[in-house]
Amino acid sequence: MGLAGFLLVLVTALGAQAAPPSKLPGRKPDSTEPWGAFLGRAAHLAIGRQYSVQYPTNAVFLDTVNLYRIVEEGKLGNPKRLSEFVRLLRPDITDTRALVLFEIKPDNEEGRKEGREQAGRYLAALNEAVEPGKKLAGGTGFEGSLFLEFENGGALWQLSWRTPEPGVTLYRWSYRRKKSNASWKERAAQKEEELPKEEGEQRGEVAEQALRAAYEGGELPSNFQGQVYLPVDCR
């Protein structure tokens, strides 16, 4: 598939996901956001911020920055060599000091395939524009997990991620049931379950807000009566 075809498929897929969902609990009545989008956005936010935390002296660009700016601000080469079709694309994580790139996707076969294809296309586009000696590759060895505890002893959510192949970071959400008089670490050792859909519907948006506050040093949302345990707390 050519690049133009890839972009058309990507835009079509995003448009299909934007269809208004049925009314869900814990959401604004006029929201048109698919409930699963909150969990995906929360994962992208946390994983990208965590990479920046782990490599504080590197030049790290997250998914708000396009390829043109990455080449220009990362001093990789001439951004004008990027075609009009690709210069506005935004990889999930690009580290222009380590010269690596990551695409973040759900941990399933479809996500792995999409991540591989997108990372490959972003790398091909970047490497057409960069100077000799500054070629990028798919990143490796990036993994971790964090926890969100609801109601100070309620349900415990886990976000975990791994990079099973260069440039493809896969994430998954899991769940531990409430257990009275147990610490979050004791409950983290409980049986891991798939996050129930109703939990995601009710708390996905506040989970995203809580993670943003935790990484950006802001106040936790008033409707989040719990704790965020970042990877440094999980060691």
Side-chain angles (χ1 to χ4, degrees):
M1 184 188 296
L3 182 57
F6 165 73
L7 292 174
L8 179 60
V9 170
L10 181 62
V11 169
T12 302
L14 291 174
Q17 291 176 358
S22 58
K23 184 176 179 181
L24 298 170
R27 297 163 54 87
K28 296 178 181 179
D30 59 348
S31 176
T32 60
E33 192 88 41
W35 75 270
F38 288 116
L39 298 180
R41 199 161 59 210
H44 277 71
L45 181 152
I47 295 168
R49 297 298 193 282
Q50 183 60 34
Y51 186 91
S52 296
V53 167
Q54 288 184 206
Y55 301 96
T57 62
N58 288 14
V60 178
F61 298 89
L62 302 182
D63 59 4
T64 58
V65 183
N66 62 45
L67 294 183
Y68 190 97
R69 284 183 56 198
I70 289 170
V71 174
E72 182 177 48
E73 297 177 19
K75 298 179 173 57
L76 295 175
N78 182 2
K80 293 181 180 179
R81 295 184 63 187
L82 294 166
S83 75
E84 295 290 338
F85 288 112
V86 303
R87 60 180 54 183
L88 296 181
L89 296 177
R90 300 175 300 177
D92 289 327
I93 303 173
T94 309
D95 184 335
T96 59
R97 180 176 179 179
L99 298 177
V100 293
L101 177 149
F102 300 84
E103 272 300 292
I104 302 168
K105 296 293 179 185
D107 196 346
N108 53 48
E109 283 305 312
E110 181 180 0
R112 187 165 181 165
K113 179 181 177 182
E114 289 181 0
R116 183 186 304 128
E117 291 174 351
Q118 290 185 15
R121 290 180 184 276
Y122 294 153
L123 287 168
L126 281 168
N127 287 334
E128 285 291 322
V130 304
E131 299 173 359
K134 294 186 177 180
K135 300 287 187 182
L136 287 86
T140 59
F142 180 41
E143 60 183 27
S145 66
L146 58 82
F147 289 87
L148 289 89
E149 180 184 40
F150 291 88
E151 284 88 38
N152 291 315
L156 188 70
W157 289 18
Q158 181 180 14
L159 170 64
S160 56
W161 60 93
R162 63 193 182 99
T163 304
E165 62 182 85
V168 183
T169 298
L170 303 178
Y171 72 85
R172 65 188 303 269
W173 289 97
S174 59
Y175 171 84
R176 274 75 166 175
R177 296 179 182 274
K178 180 177 179 180
K179 184 177 181 180
S180 300
N181 302 316
S183 70
W184 74 270
K185 288 189 176 182
E186 290 173 323
R187 289 190 297 121
Q190 290 175 223
K191 180 182 178 182
E192 180 180 316
E193 301 180 32
E194 183 177 353
L195 180 67
K197 181 178 179 180
E198 59 272 17
E199 281 278 322
E201 291 175 350
Q202 293 171 1
R203 292 171 162 162
E205 186 170 11
V206 72
E208 178 193 355
Q209 294 168 352
L211 286 171
R212 184 179 299 277
Y215 274 105
E216 297 180 356
E219 292 186 6
L220 291 171
S222 59
N223 55 342
F224 178 72
Q225 304 301 315
Q227 299 289 332
V228 178
Y229 299 97
L230 298 180
V232 68
D233 303 310
C234 300
R235 294 173 183 169

